[in-house]
């Protein structure tokens, strides 16, 4: 069975070998290419892969090699993988330092480095809540700042309640012997993203929509 080395979009492993099967060629807008089913040797899950030949090999040559037990990495190029590899999902209108921290956390989570992800999601939350609570009574603990922001209607009560149910808001990533699970980090990622949306993206979108509405009213 032919193989190829790729970055698996299912489990996130890099330079992973996948076994290829179920070949058929397609003539489409991109020209002729090959669709194959790939089975990641890391997670054992199936991937949909579209291949073309590289600058030295044609699609037909790649198709011929698929029937042979051989590594095709050096004779073809992957033009698409399904499901696609995850990409960072960054809220709009963040301050630069908070955006950098959240982007670093997203990249760590996607690559499977959950310890780093936990600490950097927490750092993004720390910076954002301190920034937005500057005019409120000082709160040293992150969870308290989130609760205070909810009481001031800058966050929803549901977000504050959600924060209380997430394992110490990523603190165990730095201080506990047991690593957080991928599910823990995914929950922390979702909470952090929604918090940033409420604190920065939504107010800025409302401000811009209001300004646009006022400008249209003035022109009428």
């Amino acid at each position: 069975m032919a193989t190829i080395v790729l970055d698996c979009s299912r489990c996130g492993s890099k330079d992973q070998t996948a076994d290829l099967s179920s070949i058929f060629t397609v003539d489409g807008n991109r020209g002729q290419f090959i669709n194959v089913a790939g089975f990641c040797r890391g997670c054992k899950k199936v991937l949909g892969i579209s291949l073309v030949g590289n600058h030295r090999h044609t699609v037909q040559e790649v198709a011929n090699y698929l029937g042979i037990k051989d590594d095709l990495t050096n004779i073809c190029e992957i033009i698409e993988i399904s499901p696609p590899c995850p990409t960072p999902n960054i809220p709009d209108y963040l301050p630069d330092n908070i955006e950098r921290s959240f982007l670093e956390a997203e990249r760590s989570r996607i690559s499977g480095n959950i310890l780093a992800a936990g600490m950097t999601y927490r750092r993004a939350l720390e910076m954002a809540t301190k920034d937005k609570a500057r005019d409120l009574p000082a709160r040293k603990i992150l969870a308290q700042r989130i609760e205070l922001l909810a009481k001031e209607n800058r966050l929803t009560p549901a977000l504050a309640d959600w924060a209380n149910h997430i394992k110490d808001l990523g603190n165990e990533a730095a201080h506990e012997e047991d690593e957080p699970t991928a599910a823990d980090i995914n929950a922390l990622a979702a909470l952090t993203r929604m918090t940033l949306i409420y604190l920065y993206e939504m107010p800025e979108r409302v401000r811009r929509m209001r300004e646009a509405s006022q400008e249209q009213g003035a022109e009428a």
Side-chain angles (χ1 to χ4, degrees):
M1 180 179 293
T3 63
I4 194 168
V5 176
L6 47 69
D7 295 340
C8 179
S9 60
R10 296 280 193 182
C11 63
S13 56
K14 304 295 184 182
D15 297 325
Q16 180 62 258
T17 298
D19 297 302
L20 304 179
S21 63
S22 304
I23 171 179
F24 61 92
T25 59
V26 178
D27 284 302
N29 294 331
R30 296 173 297 182
Q32 193 176 57
F33 58 96
I34 303 168
N35 280 347
V36 296
F39 297 88
C40 172
R41 290 186 180 179
C43 64
K44 313 300 181 185
K45 294 181 179 179
V46 66
L47 301 165
I49 306 170
S50 296
L51 302 171
V52 294
N54 63 15
H55 62 284
R56 293 192 303 171
H57 296 85
T58 65
V59 167
Q60 188 56 53
E61 288 175 327
V62 176
N64 292 339
Y65 274 108
L66 276 165
I68 305 171
K69 186 178 181 180
D70 202 357
D71 180 6
L72 305 186
T73 306
N74 294 324
I75 70 168
C76 65
E77 296 179 5
I78 297 173
I79 58 173
E80 187 174 345
I81 293 181
S82 181
C85 292
T87 57
N89 183 4
I90 312 296
D92 293 330
Y93 312 123
L94 299 181
D96 289 343
N97 60 335
I98 296 173
E99 181 176 344
R100 285 194 300 270
S101 185
F102 188 77
L103 177 59
E104 181 183 339
E106 285 281 273
R107 287 172 173 168
S108 296
R109 178 181 60 84
I110 290 169
S111 67
N113 190 347
I114 59 177
L115 288 176
M119 288 185 285
T120 45
Y121 281 126
R122 181 182 175 85
R123 186 170 68 204
L125 280 173
E126 291 276 5
M127 290 190 294
T129 55
K130 286 179 180 178
D131 176 36
K132 290 299 183 177
R134 291 180 186 274
D135 60 330
L136 300 177
R139 293 291 187 275
K140 293 183 179 180
I141 299 175
L142 174 58
Q144 292 177 339
R145 288 198 301 276
I146 291 176
E147 184 176 352
L148 182 61
L149 287 167
K151 288 181 179 179
E152 293 290 324
N153 296 316
R154 302 180 194 184
L155 290 174
T156 68
L159 271 174
D161 182 65
W162 186 13
N164 288 331
H165 288 83
I166 292 179
K167 277 191 177 180
D168 202 17
L169 296 177
N171 198 44
E172 78 284 353
H175 299 294
E176 298 293 336
E177 293 182 3
D178 295 333
E179 291 188 5
T181 65
D184 294 332
I185 295 305
N186 287 338
L188 180 58
L191 171 71
T192 306
R193 184 178 298 108
M194 289 305 301
T195 300
L196 296 179
I197 287 172
Y198 268 89
L199 291 179
Y200 293 100
E201 182 173 321
M202 289 181 63
E204 181 61 17
R205 287 192 182 279
V206 169
R207 186 190 69 80
R208 293 184 181 211
M209 292 173 66
R210 181 182 296 168
E211 285 186 355
S213 178
Q214 290 173 345
E215 289 175 0
Q216 290 173 359
E219 293 173 357

